[in-house]
Amino acid sequence: MNLRLALRAPAHWPAARRLVALGGALLSALLLGLPTALVPNPVFGREIPPEWWSYPVLVASALLAGLLLATYVRTGAERTRDSERVSRLGSAGALLSFLAVGCPVCNKLVLLALGTSGALTVWAPLQPVLAVASLVLLAVATVRRLAGEVACPAKPAR
């Protein structure tokens, strides 16, 4: 039910909000892809090549983050009581996406906690699980925000 409502919400968005969604997705892709070296750049590198699933996770995370960001653009509607909790879900999902697609031996915290061999034998196998968890959190946050716009639209403030 919520998913159906959520899929209807962007059809009612003004052009400015759609541009924010697109810009947010591009910015998210860069913020996630540059430091993890999924987007080639001269500043960051990887010791271990990315897994095949890293790129679809990057794209899906960026799209969901862009949509979620756009739901926070004011359209004259009041703020919902649930928005703070949903914001935490989205933030947690974005952080997990970063941890999921990053190089396992480039993460200094993982190296300090587990060492190089632990990063490869313990952390690297956990990364696909983190990727799924991040996408679930981002999707739940996005669907809740979008469905709330359709299910209970607030009247513009005068």
Side-chain angles (χ1 to χ4, degrees):
M1 181 71 167
N2 279 345
L3 182 58
R4 270 194 233 159
L5 291 174
L7 291 173
R8 289 188 358 215
H12 303 289
W13 283 1
R17 201 175 217 193
R18 291 178 187 188
L19 283 174
V20 168
L22 179 62
L26 290 173
L27 182 62
S28 296
L30 290 175
L31 288 174
L32 184 58
L34 288 173
T36 59
L38 291 177
V39 174
N41 65 85
V43 178
F44 297 102
R46 291 179 73 106
E47 296 295 321
I48 296 172
E51 297 289 336
W52 67 268
W53 49 263
S54 296
Y55 294 100
V57 169
L58 171 69
V59 171
S61 295
L63 291 174
L64 288 168
L67 282 171
L68 183 60
L69 177 66
T71 66
Y72 287 93
V73 173
R74 292 187 137 220
T75 59
E78 295 177 14
R79 183 179 168 193
T80 64
R81 294 172 55 203
D82 193 37
S83 66
E84 192 172 311
R85 184 174 38 186
V86 171
S87 177
R88 287 187 201 131
L89 286 176
S91 298
L95 176 63
L96 285 178
S97 292
F98 181 78
L99 294 173
V101 299
C103 173
V105 296
C106 300
N107 186 328
K108 303 300 184 237
L109 295 175
V110 172
L111 282 178
L112 284 172
L114 303 173
T116 303
S117 62
L120 293 172
T121 60
V122 176
W123 183 253
L126 288 176
Q127 287 183 294
V129 175
L130 294 176
V132 170
S134 72
L135 293 176
V136 167
L137 289 173
L138 283 168
V140 166
T142 303
V143 166
R144 282 187 184 177
R145 292 281 302 178
L146 290 172
E149 290 180 5
V150 176
C152 185
K155 302 290 183 213
R158 294 186 188 264

